[in-house]
Amino acid sequence: EPVYISDFILNIDNSQPVLNGSYYGNGKFYMFNRALVDCIDTKIRYNGNRNEDAVFGAMVYNGCGPDVLKISEDDSRIWHKNYDSKSVKINLSALVNH
């Protein structure tokens, strides 16, 4: 079963029917499984500039249909890893303003 983890926002884009009605993440890292990758519509066509999250959501919506298990993202359950050694400092946590 296709699984998609995100903070789902309904896309209402009447100027782009292929994007209208899909759900997308709002700039946050989302996760998905191989079954979702296998069913997404990679040939989606739209006009003009669009947010990449909205396009990915439309690829899921148009390719996988309603059979996607949507799991709402829960930031409290994300392990925020920090690495600090010599001159290398990596913070893999979410931005504070998200």
Side-chain angles (χ1 to χ4, degrees):
E1 167 178 42
V3 177
Y4 184 20
I5 301 173
S6 186
D7 58 337
F8 298 101
I9 298 170
L10 179 61
N11 191 358
I12 310 265
D13 189 341
N14 294 319
S15 66
Q16 298 287 332
V18 71
L19 303 178
N20 202 18
S22 61
Y23 287 87
Y24 67 98
N26 191 22
K28 287 181 153 182
F29 180 78
Y30 38 72
M31 292 175 275
F32 43 87
N33 66 356
R34 179 64 196 204
L36 187 119
V37 172
D38 289 341
C39 68
I40 61 174
D41 178 6
T42 59
K43 299 187 186 319
I44 189 171
R45 299 285 181 251
Y46 57 92
N47 296 317
N49 296 328
R50 288 293 177 266
N51 176 300
E52 70 275 4
D53 293 330
V55 172
F56 182 78
M59 290 169 69
V60 171
Y61 178 74
N62 290 301
C64 304
D67 297 330
V68 175
L69 175 60
K70 293 183 187 81
I71 301 173
S72 293
E73 185 176 75
D74 180 357
D75 287 338
S76 70
R77 302 190 80 168
I78 296 174
W79 180 45
H80 300 290
K81 177 69 178 164
N82 293 307
Y83 176 80
D84 189 353
S85 177
K86 298 181 184 172
S87 64
V88 177
K89 295 180 193 268
I90 301 172
N91 183 342
L92 300 176
S93 64
L95 297 174
V96 175
N97 65 352
H98 279 71

